[in-house]
Amino acid sequence: MLLATLAAAAADHIHFADLGLNKVALSLGFFDIKWYSLAYIAGILVGWWYLLRLLREPGAPMSKKHADDLVFYATLGIIVGGRLGYVLFYGLDRFIQHPLDIFKLWDGGMSFHGGVIGTTLAIILMCRQQKLNWLRVHDYVACVVPFGLFFGRLANFVNGELWGKPADLPWAIVFPGAGDMARHPSQLYEAGLEGVVLFAILWFAFWRTRARYAPGKLVGIFLLGYGCFRFFVEYFREPDAQFDGTIFASFIHMGQVLCLPMIVGGIYLIATAKGRRERVEPIAGAESVA
């Protein structure tokens, strides 16, 4: 009865088709440039710029040269980790049957949680090679990640994907391929919380407190903040189709399950950061960042 009512009311809501959005940003005839690809590029470039700005402040854990190398390692970790995470967490059966589909990145399918794992491992590898404090480097990286989250969720919205549950709200949207019911634009909820709000929290912690001198505190704030925000938004987000009829659709979403270790890890890093503070040492060459 409720679904029928929502479907009948959909005519009074926003229709995605009327927004004039197109997942293709620029078509060259033989090649299409999609907003999703541009979102990744924008997140990396803006994040790189902001990272260099952070490194100008006293106590930086690495130099500009290290930051330049970090972009390569982090990008590799995002792509490899994000794709493999999606395969393992959301579509293992499909990729077992069609293993070559793993390489079809242009078809979409990236896991943020997988990207976090991949980027973490890539940064640890770089730090071991260059003898840097990997936890302090992660603190600075955590401050720039919200840029990528913001642009990525906007791209999800432009693509008309990852929509929310049915809703009868003035801003609810009828998405193509999602039936006749208006739905929560959960992509925008995530862009606001995981992008704008989380960035503001980390900005305050970095610029208005001495959190950057306590190894692990900033990354802990990021993990706790992202985990809580994502867990909350999942209540408004439609469960992934591959989990229809399972516990990951009816009781708890897969996204929420993957957030629980992030929340616990974030609390631990924040609680133990003070004990690591006295071991902070300046990095040679960090003061040369221009």
Side-chain angles (χ1 to χ4, degrees):
M1 183 66 177
L2 176 60
L3 294 180
T5 302
L6 291 174
D12 299 327
H13 293 290
I14 303 169
H15 284 253
F16 186 83
D18 295 335
L19 298 178
L21 300 176
N22 191 325
K23 65 177 62 178
V24 177
L26 178 64
S27 179
L28 302 177
F30 62 93
F31 182 73
D32 291 336
I33 300 176
K34 298 184 178 180
W35 286 110
Y36 199 70
S37 300
L38 293 179
Y40 270 88
I41 295 172
I44 292 171
L45 292 180
V46 176
W48 186 16
W49 165 81
Y50 187 57
L51 176 62
L52 295 180
R53 179 66 185 87
L54 298 179
L55 293 178
R56 295 177 187 173
E57 299 303 304
M62 57 184 168
S63 67
K64 181 180 183 300
K65 177 183 180 301
H66 294 134
D68 294 342
D69 293 339
L70 179 66
V71 172
F72 169 77
Y73 281 89
T75 301
L76 188 63
I78 290 170
I79 296 174
V80 176
R83 186 57 171 175
L84 291 181
Y86 179 81
V87 171
L88 293 175
F89 301 146
Y90 297 99
L92 186 58
D93 290 342
R94 168 198 162 189
F95 292 105
I96 288 177
Q97 296 176 14
H98 307 283
L100 292 181
D101 285 356
I102 294 176
F103 303 100
K104 295 182 178 179
L105 299 179
W106 53 88
D107 287 340
M110 297 286 281
S111 165
F112 171 76
H113 299 90
V116 167
I117 296 173
T119 303
T120 297
L121 293 176
I123 293 175
I124 290 175
L125 176 62
M126 187 204 83
C127 290
R128 284 176 63 89
Q129 291 178 340
Q130 307 203 24
K131 296 180 173 57
L132 300 176
N133 184 320
W134 68 270
L135 192 53
R136 295 204 67 225
V137 171
H138 269 86
D139 281 332
Y140 279 64
V141 172
C143 292
V144 309
V145 173
F147 289 112
L149 291 172
F150 176 74
F151 291 123
R153 293 311 179 190
L154 290 184
N156 289 149
F157 180 75
V158 172
N159 287 350
E161 61 189 6
L162 303 181
W163 50 74
K165 294 179 179 178
D168 185 16
L169 296 167
W171 59 85
I173 297 175
V174 181
F175 289 95
D180 298 327
M181 292 174 289
R183 297 175 175 274
H184 286 285
S186 56
Q187 314 96 321
L188 300 183
Y189 299 170
E190 292 191 73
L193 290 174
E194 301 165 8
V196 178
V197 176
L198 187 53
F199 171 78
I201 293 173
L202 288 165
W203 180 91
F204 180 85
F206 185 94
W207 295 100
R208 293 292 183 264
T209 75
R210 296 179 63 82
R212 66 177 181 271
Y213 294 108
K217 192 167 187 176
L218 289 170
V219 72
I221 292 172
F222 169 81
L223 290 173
L224 177 60
Y226 176 86
C228 290
F229 290 149
R230 176 67 182 271
F231 196 96
F232 171 73
V233 173
E234 286 287 337
Y235 285 115
F236 303 94
R237 183 170 160 175
E238 188 73 8
D240 295 281
Q242 57 267 49
F243 296 121
D244 188 33
T246 70
I247 187 176
F248 297 121
S250 58
F251 177 67
I252 188 170
H253 293 185
M254 175 58 81
Q256 291 174 312
V257 172
L258 297 175
C259 282
L260 292 177
M262 298 182 71
I263 294 173
V264 174
I267 293 173
Y268 170 78
L269 287 172
I270 294 171
T272 58
K274 186 176 181 180
R276 292 185 291 269
R277 183 170 182 167
E278 61 187 43
R279 294 194 291 272
V280 175
E281 297 179 357
I283 300 298
E287 68 277 6
S288 64
V289 176

